[in-house]
Amino acid sequence: MDRLSNTVRPYAWGSTTAIPALLGTAPTGEPQAEMWMGAHPGAPSRITRPKSSPNTTGTPNTTTPPERPLTDVIAADPEGELGAVTVARFGPRLPFLLKLLAAGSPLSLQVHPDLDQARKGYADEETRGIPIDAPHRTYKDANHKPELICALTPFDGLCGFRRPTEAADAMEALGVDSLKPYVDLLRAHPEEAALREVLTAILGADPAEMADTVTEAAAACERLGGTHAPYARIAHHYPGDPGVLAAMLLNYVQLQPGEALFLGAGVPHAYLDGLGVEIMANSDNVLRCGLTPKHIDVPELLRIVRFEATEPGVLRPEASSSGEERYETPVDEFALSRYTLASGAQPAELTAPTPQILLCTAGTVRVGELDLTPGQSVFVPAAEAVEATGSGTLFRATVAARTV
C-alpha cells in the first residue's frame, strides 16, 4: 500500500477555495479544479515505494526513495499491481481515474462516446494523420469515458435532455422574439427530431449573429429568476455563447451530499458548481457542445448525442451488511463506494482481488499503517490485505466486481 502524492489541475472553471478547505490548506488565489488520483499519463499520482534491487552492502537502507509515477510502478509489474483478471480484461493499465472535482463556475457542455464509437473515431483520426495534440482532434484514445460524480457539498449540474415541451415553455417565457423558431420546432416535432433540429440550429448558427439573442435571453433569465436562474448564472460566465441556449434544453439537477449522477455515453451534461468525488474510465475523449472556446466538432457531436428526453437518475448509495455503501453503475472499469467509520467499531475489511484507491473525505481514517485526513489517499495493489478504522468517511474506488 502506498500513500499517493497527487496533482491539482488549475483549470479556469475551478473553485479557488473548495479543495484547499477540504485539505486544510490556505488558498493560493488560483483556481484549483481537479485533484487527480490514479495512473493517467497526463498527471499520474506519485509514490515513494523503492524499486526492487538487491542490497549488496549488508546494511539497512534508510534513505527515503524518490517519488515514482504510479504509471511506472504499474508498468514494471502489471499483474502484481492490478491482478491477473484486471490485466486480462483491460490491459496493463489502471482502468479508472479518481478525482476531487471543485467547480466554481460552469464547465463546458459535453458528451462522451461509447466504446465502439471511440475505437472507430480514434482509428479514423489516426489514419488521417491528425496529431494527437491538434486543437481540432476529437479522439485522444480508443476508450469510452463513462463517469460518476458524487457530491461532497451541494452540487449543481445539467444532465440529459428535458422534454421538448418543457424546453419550449422555458424559452417562450423569456419573451425573446428571435427564439420563436426554436420554440415552434420544439412543439411541432416528435421528441428526437425536435431536440436534434434545435441543437443543430443552435450550433450551426453564426456566433456573432447569435450574440444578441443570447444576451437578451440571459437578461430575461436574470429578470425571471426561479427555474431560469441557473441559466442566467451560466450566461454570466459565458456571455454571448450559444451554449447558453443549448443548456436550456437540459435538465437542471441539484445534488445533496452523498447523492450522485452517472453519465453514460451520449448524454449531454455540464457541472455548474460544487465539490464532489468523480470516477471515470481512464480516457480523455470529450466532445464539446457549448460554453467553451475550444473546438466543437458539430457533425461528430450530432452523431454521438442521444436525442432522447430523460429524467436525471440521481443515485443514492446502497448499503450492505459489511458497511460498504455502493453506487451501482452499469460499467466494468470502475466501482465507487464509501464507508462511514466510527471510533471503536469493527475494522472495515477492504481486501480485494482488484487494485484500489482509498480516499478520505472527512475525519481521520487509518488504513493499514497509514493515517489519512481529508483529501489524502492511498493506492492498494490487487489482493493486498487491508483494513480501515477510525472516525470519518472513506471512498473506495476499484474495478467492478462483475469483472473478476
Side-chain angles (χ1 to χ4, degrees), residues 151-360:
L152 294 179
T153 66
F155 194 98
D156 295 357
L158 304 173
C159 178
F161 289 110
R162 54 180 168 176
R163 288 192 294 272
T165 53
E166 291 181 3
D169 290 344
M171 286 189 178
E172 189 172 46
L174 300 179
V176 178
D177 289 343
S178 51
L179 290 179
K180 189 175 186 304
Y182 301 144
V183 173
D184 291 343
L185 284 171
L186 289 168
R187 295 198 192 284
H189 290 284
E191 178 179 288
E192 179 179 347
L195 294 169
R196 179 181 291 276
E197 289 191 39
V198 173
L199 185 62
T200 301
I202 290 171
L203 296 179
D206 183 284
E209 295 178 2
M210 286 284 285
D212 288 344
T213 295
V214 176
T215 300
E216 286 186 61
C221 286
E222 183 74 34
R223 182 177 64 253
L224 291 171
T227 58
H228 288 83
Y231 308 103
R233 191 165 79 246
I234 293 169
H236 172 76
H237 291 283
Y238 296 96
D241 191 315
V244 174
L245 302 181
M248 296 189 71
L249 301 175
L250 306 186
N251 296 294
Y252 172 61
V253 186
Q254 291 181 295
L255 300 179
Q256 296 305 310
E259 294 180 334
L261 278 177
F262 173 71
L263 289 312
V267 177
H269 61 278
Y271 303 144
L272 305 181
D273 183 72
L275 177 67
V277 174
E278 185 182 37
I279 189 168
M280 62 189 62
N282 208 347
S283 171
D284 278 334
N285 286 326
V286 175
L287 288 91
R288 295 174 177 84
C289 48
L291 309 181
T292 178
K294 295 182 179 180
H295 175 66
I296 297 178
D297 185 345
V298 175
E300 186 67 7
L301 175 71
L302 296 175
R303 193 177 72 83
I304 297 300
V305 172
R306 294 183 178 177
F307 289 99
E308 56 185 21
T310 57
E311 292 293 329
V314 176
L315 299 178
R316 295 172 181 84
E318 299 183 12
S320 67
S321 58
S322 66
E324 183 179 25
E325 299 176 301
R326 303 186 185 95
Y327 294 90
E328 297 295 340
T329 68
V331 298
D332 293 335
E333 285 87 348
F334 64 74
L336 186 71
S337 59
R338 70 175 183 180
Y339 290 82
T340 302
L341 304 173
S343 296
Q346 286 288 98
E349 171 58 52
L350 303 176
T351 305
T354 53
Q356 303 179 73
I357 293 178
L358 306 176
L359 167 68
C360 175

